[in-house]
Amino acid sequence: MSPYVYIMYRLFLFFLFVSIAVSCNDHSLGDPVHRVYIDYPAAYVVNGGSSNLSVIRLSDLAYTEAIDLDQAPFPHHISLSPDRTLLAVAITGTDLSGGHGGHGGHGVMVEGQRIQIIDPVQGQIHHEIPVNGLPHNAIFHPSGTELWVPVGDTLQGYIQVYSTQGWNLIHTIPVGKAPSEVTFSHDGLRVFVANTRDGTVSVIDPEGKNVLLTVATGKDPVGAWPASNGRMYVDNEGDRTVTELDANSGAVLSTIHLGFIPGYVAYHSGQEELWITDVTNGGVAWFRQILGVWVQRGSLSTGDDAHAIAFTPDGSRALVTNQGANTVSVIEVALHEVVRTILVGDKPNGIVIRE
């Protein structure tokens, strides 16, 4: 080999090494270390302690992938855009697994509160929206043109509405103190905000962007969860109750006394049952209406600090996140029986299903 060829060969190896080293260390936004391709119906589970998403394939209920959230501190709940092309994950910067009252949780609030917009197929972070308060969740307007985010503290809370075209802030709506979850009614005609420190729920007209009324519920309400029966169900952690609201008028219809701390409420239309996660005992209790009154008909154990519930599209199974057990329980709805337990990340909380 001639000296000239030898020198060129060594230079080639040098530049090849440098390019590989740079590429291995350049994990910019939207370019995760571990690339995925999720072209199948799946459940996405937010792992608050692991700063990632666990992906569960629905066809065989197998854990398949982990989507890295770029070391985001304590991600919480997750939502799917109406066209199923985007995920929105709230990065709270606070460990909320110990409860939401006063937004204290177990840990100390840290920097980095924001909303991450993620491609559910490739797992890439497309955009990040910085916010100036603790965001429990972020939810898409039924039209897909807006993203609604609750922020604020124990003095004043707001709902910030962002355009999904340029992700710019277009509206700010004052609500109560320390807002937790913001949710849309099943028909999309009303927005509900749980004001945790106030013990109230704000009812908002999504078109006019104005608060229609403020409803007193129970102590430390966290979320008003929508149901296909035209109701909203508010889980009040502080007094261990669920308040049933009329989704159109916001009127209080009933109060369900539980005897345990509720984590989430989901209505199963096929069974006409109300499912409530039991944070105190680590499980799920289900209720049916008897002569117009919600009555508990049974319960089952899932795992420590049971949190969120998601029914599969056909309604045959329920997936329950267990924050204290680092698992997701799969329940056969008709049997009210756990048929599988899936190990996921640390402190799983929010879950959403994409068909």
Side-chain angles (χ1 to χ4, degrees):
M1 180 182 296
S2 70
Y4 175 80
V5 173
Y6 177 76
I7 292 172
M8 295 302 293
Y9 175 72
R10 294 299 299 267
L11 285 173
F12 170 77
L13 291 180
F14 172 78
F15 285 114
L16 178 63
F17 172 81
V18 170
S19 65
I20 291 173
V22 170
S23 65
C24 288
N25 288 282
D26 182 22
H27 303 309
S28 58
L29 190 67
D31 186 21
V33 177
H34 174 61
R35 292 189 178 275
V36 301
Y37 188 70
I38 305 163
D39 61 344
Y40 46 84
Y44 297 79
V45 179
V46 182
N47 299 308
S50 301
S51 297
N52 64 6
L53 306 179
S54 292
V55 181
I56 298 172
R57 187 170 52 221
L58 293 185
S59 61
D60 56 358
L61 296 170
Y63 170 93
T64 57
E65 302 281 358
I67 297 174
D68 178 52
L69 299 183
D70 197 24
Q71 300 181 348
F74 295 110
H76 198 49
H77 281 178
I78 184 171
S79 68
L80 180 68
S81 63
D83 64 2
R84 304 183 300 165
T85 63
L86 296 172
L87 296 169
V89 179
I91 309 303
T92 67
T94 306
D95 184 355
L96 295 171
S97 61
H100 299 70
H103 295 176
H106 278 164
V108 178
M109 188 177 296
V110 299
E111 297 297 324
Q113 294 167 338
R114 58 194 184 273
I115 305 300
Q116 289 185 339
I117 307 300
I118 300 168
D119 180 340
V121 176
Q122 298 184 348
Q124 294 179 323
I125 302 172
H126 274 228
H127 193 79
E128 290 191 331
I129 305 171
V131 294
N132 57 357
L134 193 155
H136 270 73
N137 72 326
I139 191 165
F140 291 92
H141 186 282
S143 67
T145 61
E146 297 173 350
L147 185 72
W148 290 53
V149 181
V151 297
D153 53 29
T154 56
L155 297 177
Q156 180 63 61
Y158 301 91
I159 296 300
Q160 294 181 339
V161 183
Y162 294 84
S163 166
T164 57
Q165 297 301 310
W167 304 109
N168 55 302
L169 180 65
I170 55 176
H171 290 284
T172 298
I173 308 167
V175 289
K177 297 176 182 177
S180 291
E181 309 288 336
V182 57
T183 53
F184 279 82
S185 59
H186 188 263
D187 60 12
L189 298 180
R190 293 287 182 270
V191 177
F192 291 76
V193 185
N195 304 306
T196 302
R197 182 55 65 92
D198 279 347
T200 63
V201 168
S202 298
V203 184
I204 300 173
D205 171 16
E207 302 310 313
K209 307 291 189 298
N210 59 298
V211 176
L212 299 174
L213 71 159
T214 301
V215 184
T217 56
K219 184 179 180 182
D220 298 334
V222 174
W225 308 110
S228 60
N229 62 356
R231 306 288 189 260
M232 302 291 292
Y233 294 93
V234 184
D235 54 335
N236 306 302
E237 288 186 349
D239 58 12
R240 304 186 176 200
T241 63
V242 167
T243 304
E244 182 180 36
L245 304 178
D246 181 276
N248 183 48
S249 68
V252 175
L253 301 177
S254 69
T255 299
I256 306 169
H257 296 272
L258 303 174
F260 58 81
I261 298 172
Y264 194 91
V265 186
Y267 177 73
H268 192 287
S269 58
Q271 298 282 114
E272 295 184 337
E273 291 177 345
L274 206 60
W275 287 41
I276 305 173
T277 47
D278 177 351
V279 175
T280 306
N281 302 298
V284 175
W286 67 91
F287 296 71
R288 290 178 182 162
Q289 276 197 323
I290 299 177
L291 299 177
V293 178
W294 288 106
V295 178
Q296 184 174 337
R297 303 299 291 167
S299 63
L300 57 90
S301 296
T302 57
D304 289 346
D305 199 2
H307 190 62
I309 304 170
F311 292 114
T312 55
D314 63 1
S316 65
R317 288 174 171 169
L319 277 64
V320 177
T321 59
N322 305 302
Q323 291 188 104
N326 301 334
T327 60
V328 170
S329 298
V330 181
I331 301 171
E332 194 74 33
V333 169
L335 301 176
H336 298 101
E337 180 180 313
V338 175
V339 295
R340 181 172 299 185
T341 299
I342 305 168
L343 184 65
V344 288
D346 185 35
K347 297 183 179 179
N349 47 68
I351 183 171
V352 71
I353 289 178
R354 178 178 181 270
E355 297 181 58

